[in-house]
């Protein structure tokens, strides 16, 4: 009962700090850089490890048992390689002053599980929630067995009750803490999506209501301006003014087209799209702008399947993304486009070496009227990209770091 009481108190402390961490970091993550997020995660995990050691319960042969493995496990898998190495070193260093024969066991287990955590953490957050819950729970159960099995053989320590209590509490506590973490993260993501969807819904209704009404008189204006330019007796000054007005009217028409695309992103007719041909055509169209900005375009095809969609709208997605990427490299750089097919999905990775975006800007990407181009941007380009990709049944993922560049990954269901 002493062991059970100590472990439950340890669990309570972990739950309190996990909730506090989510309040401080997760709800503010759009304003915090990814690097700083991992530093904060390492800090909180370190505190939990030290508190767990202070709350440990000593049993046979000075072996101290607690829930230190939970912050070590979750901090490593969510934080990555550097956090794993830091927490492992801290765990060993903090265990030495306690003394007892369990020091060598701690060193052995930390080294073994660090070897497991480092490769696992690189793709941990890409897995499903069920997979993450199962893997953390299984690793905790494995740790509980080794933590008692090894000393039981070496020191002839056979206490079935102790093993059952420690294994059950550690395994169930790991499952519960992981589930709570995922629940809080999912709630935050859904909240942000709800806010963004509400903004898009308002813009969509606005687009649907006014776009057609504005487009009709705009077509007439463009027609009359073209008639003026075709007249031979028009003064040069008036011809210049008419030409400028026609350019602005055409620009306005393009904005209206973006609104219409946003209001109705789902393609009316789906066609089998050959991605390589669409990308090469996009390259031909965007090359003059790339040359103007001293940007080198590199394309590598690894895909094997086609996708379904509207060729015009899909081309609009590629052009909008590539145009933004090139304009983000005012002093030159490299625009890389790589395709791949995996698990019945086709991916298009578009990467630039430009200015990048802050976490705050990245969180707002795709919102109506949000633009980083100041007076030059309308805030509609990426909004249309998100809507078209969504209409084609695809997904879009954006990673960016200031002064490093931006990587955009488009994924679509494959069509053989």
């Amino acid at each position: 009962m002493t062991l059970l009481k100590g472990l439950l108190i340890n669990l309570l402390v972990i739950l309190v700090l996990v909730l506090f961490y989510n309040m401080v970091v997760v709800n503010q993550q759009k304003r915090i850089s990814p690097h700083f997020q991992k530093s904060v995660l390492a800090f909180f995990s370190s505190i939990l490890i030290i508190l767990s050691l202070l709350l440990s319960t000593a049993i046979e042969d000075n072996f101290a048992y607690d829930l230190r493995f939970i912050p070590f496990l979750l901090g490593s898998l969510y934080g990555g390689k550097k956090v794993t190495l830091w927490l492992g070193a801290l765990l060993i260093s903090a265990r030495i002053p306690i003394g007892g024969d369990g020091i060598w066991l701690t060193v052995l287990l930390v080294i073994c599980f660090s070897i497991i955590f480092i490769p696992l953490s690189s793709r941990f957050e890409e897995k499903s929630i069920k997979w993450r819950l199962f893997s953390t729970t299984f690793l905790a159960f494995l740790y509980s067995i080794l933590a008692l099995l090894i000393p039981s053989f070496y020191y002839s320590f056979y206490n079935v009750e102790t093993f059952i209590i420690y294994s059950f509490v550690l395994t169930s506590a790991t499952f519960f803490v992981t589930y709570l973490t995922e629940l809080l993260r999912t709630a935050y993501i859904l909240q942000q999506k709800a806010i963004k969807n509400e903004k898009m819904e308002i813009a969509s209704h606005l687009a649907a209501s006014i776009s057609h009404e504005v487009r009709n008189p705009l077509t007439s204006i463009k027609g009359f301006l073209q008639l003026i330019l075709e007249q031979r007796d028009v003064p040069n000054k008036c011809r210049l003014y008419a030409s400028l007005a026609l350019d602005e009217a055409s620009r306005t028409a393009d904005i209206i087209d973006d609104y219409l695309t946003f209001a109705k992103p789902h393609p009316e007719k789906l066609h089998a799209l050959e991605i390589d041909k669409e990308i090469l055509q996009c390259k031909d169209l965007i090359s003059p702008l790339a040359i103007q900005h001293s940007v080198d375009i590199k394309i590598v095809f690894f895909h094997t399947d086609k996708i379904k969609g509207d060729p015009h709208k899909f081309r609009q997605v590629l052009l909008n993304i590539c145009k933004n990427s090139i304009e983000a490299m005012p002093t030159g750089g490299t625009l890389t486009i790589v395709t791949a097919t995996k698990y019945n999905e086709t991916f298009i990775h578009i990467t630039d070496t430009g200015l990048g975006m802050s976490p705050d800007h990245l969180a707002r990407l795709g919102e109506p009227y949000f633009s980083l181009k100041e007076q030059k941007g309308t805030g509609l380009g990426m909004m249309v990209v998100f809507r078209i990709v969504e209409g084609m049944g695809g997904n879009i993922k954006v990673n960016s770091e200031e002064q490093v560049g931006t990587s955009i990954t488009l994924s679509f269901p494959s069509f053989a």
Side-chain angles (χ1 to χ4, degrees):
M1 292 302 294
T2 303
L3 177 62
L4 178 60
K5 181 180 178 180
L7 294 176
L8 291 179
I9 293 174
N10 196 168
L11 175 59
L12 178 61
V13 172
I14 290 175
L15 290 175
V16 170
L17 277 182
V18 166
L19 289 171
F20 183 72
Y21 170 79
N22 280 274
M23 290 173 57
V24 173
V25 178
V26 175
N27 290 335
Q28 301 294 327
Q29 64 180 351
K30 69 178 183 179
R31 300 185 183 92
I32 302 175
S33 68
H35 178 73
F36 186 69
Q37 288 180 38
K38 291 187 177 182
S39 300
V40 176
L41 176 61
F43 174 74
F44 273 88
S45 299
S46 301
I47 292 177
L48 282 175
I49 288 175
I50 293 173
L51 290 176
S52 296
L53 287 169
L54 293 175
L55 295 171
S56 61
T57 302
I59 56 176
E60 302 280 342
D61 297 308
N62 290 324
F63 279 89
Y65 288 95
D66 48 61
L67 301 181
R68 76 192 86 156
F69 183 73
I70 296 178
F72 177 47
L73 169 68
L74 298 183
S76 299
L77 293 181
Y78 286 105
K81 178 180 177 181
K82 292 182 179 179
V83 177
T84 302
L85 296 175
W86 162 254
L87 294 179
L90 174 70
L91 186 52
I92 294 173
S93 302
R95 178 63 182 85
I96 292 175
I98 297 177
D101 296 325
I103 294 177
W104 66 268
L105 179 61
T106 298
V107 174
L108 178 64
L109 291 176
V110 166
I111 293 174
C112 291
F113 280 90
S114 295
I115 294 173
I116 298 174
F117 293 160
I118 289 175
L120 194 61
S121 63
S122 61
R123 295 188 176 181
F124 183 73
E125 295 195 54
E126 297 178 4
K127 303 294 184 179
S128 65
I129 293 178
K130 289 183 179 179
W131 189 92
R132 292 199 289 266
L133 284 171
F134 173 79
S135 61
T136 53
T137 305
F138 173 76
L139 288 170
F141 179 68
L142 179 63
Y143 178 88
S144 69
I145 293 176
L146 295 176
L148 281 172
L149 192 62
I150 296 175
S152 68
F153 281 112
Y154 194 78
Y155 291 97
S156 299
F157 166 52
Y158 303 104
N159 191 325
V160 177
E161 182 183 0
T162 299
F163 169 73
I164 293 176
I165 291 174
Y166 181 69
S167 180
F168 175 77
V169 173
L170 178 62
T171 305
S172 57
T174 301
F175 174 84
F176 184 72
V177 173
T178 306
Y179 181 76
L180 178 63
T181 302
E182 291 295 336
L183 192 66
L184 294 171
R185 286 159 58 91
T186 302
Y188 172 77
I189 293 171
L190 291 176
Q191 180 186 20
Q192 295 302 310
K193 285 184 177 179
I195 295 172
K196 183 174 286 188
N197 288 338
E198 184 179 357
K199 292 180 180 180
M200 287 190 169
E201 194 67 24
I202 294 172
S204 179
H205 288 307
L206 178 65
S209 62
I210 69 171
S211 293
H212 287 289
E213 299 300 326
V214 175
R215 199 176 187 183
N216 291 333
L218 190 62
T219 302
S220 300
I221 292 172
K222 289 176 63 179
F224 285 120
L225 288 172
Q226 287 173 344
L227 289 174
I228 292 174
L229 290 173
E230 291 174 1
Q231 300 297 319
R232 295 183 178 179
D233 56 347
V234 175
N236 292 333
K237 204 168 191 179
C238 292
R239 187 180 297 276
L240 176 62
Y241 292 155
S243 178
L244 293 174
L246 183 61
D247 290 340
E248 290 302 307
S250 299
R251 179 173 175 272
T252 305
D254 292 338
I255 296 174
I256 297 300
D257 288 339
D258 282 344
Y259 265 116
L260 289 173
T261 301
F262 176 71
K264 191 177 181 182
H266 298 277
E268 296 179 359
K269 295 182 180 180
L270 296 176
H271 303 276
L273 302 180
E274 297 184 16
I275 301 176
D276 48 352
K277 291 184 178 179
E278 297 294 338
I279 292 177
L280 291 175
Q281 187 172 358
C282 172
K283 179 185 177 182
D284 293 337
L285 294 173
I286 210 73
S287 289
L289 182 65
I291 294 172
Q292 182 181 348
H293 286 74
S294 301
V295 172
D296 184 26
I297 301 177
K298 296 182 179 180
I299 301 176
V300 182
F301 295 128
F302 290 118
H303 68 281
T304 56
D305 296 337
K306 300 178 182 179
I307 62 173
K308 279 188 175 181
D310 185 312
H312 172 72
K313 290 185 176 181
F314 179 68
R315 203 172 302 129
Q316 186 177 5
V317 168
L318 296 176
L319 287 172
N320 283 0
I321 295 176
C322 292
K323 182 174 180 291
N324 287 344
S325 297
I326 292 173
E327 291 176 347
M329 297 181 281
T331 58
T334 303
L335 175 65
T336 306
I337 303 175
V338 180
T339 65
T341 300
K342 187 178 182 181
Y343 302 128
N344 295 322
E345 276 193 300
T346 297
F347 299 89
I348 303 173
H349 304 280
I350 303 175
T351 306
D352 66 59
T353 56
L355 300 174
M357 291 177 283
S358 66
D360 189 23
H361 292 156
L362 189 60
R364 296 190 60 191
L365 191 66
E367 285 186 6
Y369 317 116
F370 174 73
S371 175
L372 295 174
K373 302 177 185 177
E374 299 179 350
Q375 293 88 354
K376 296 182 180 180
T378 61
L380 299 177
M382 286 305 297
M383 178 183 73
V384 169
V385 167
F386 274 85
R387 293 288 282 182
I388 292 177
V389 171
E390 177 187 344
M392 292 175 62
N395 291 300
I396 181 168
K397 182 179 180 181
V398 184
N399 292 310
S400 186
E401 187 175 346
E402 290 185 284
Q403 306 305 322
V404 175
T406 301
S407 176
I408 298 179
T409 301
L410 308 174
S411 61
F412 302 95
S414 294
F415 176 69

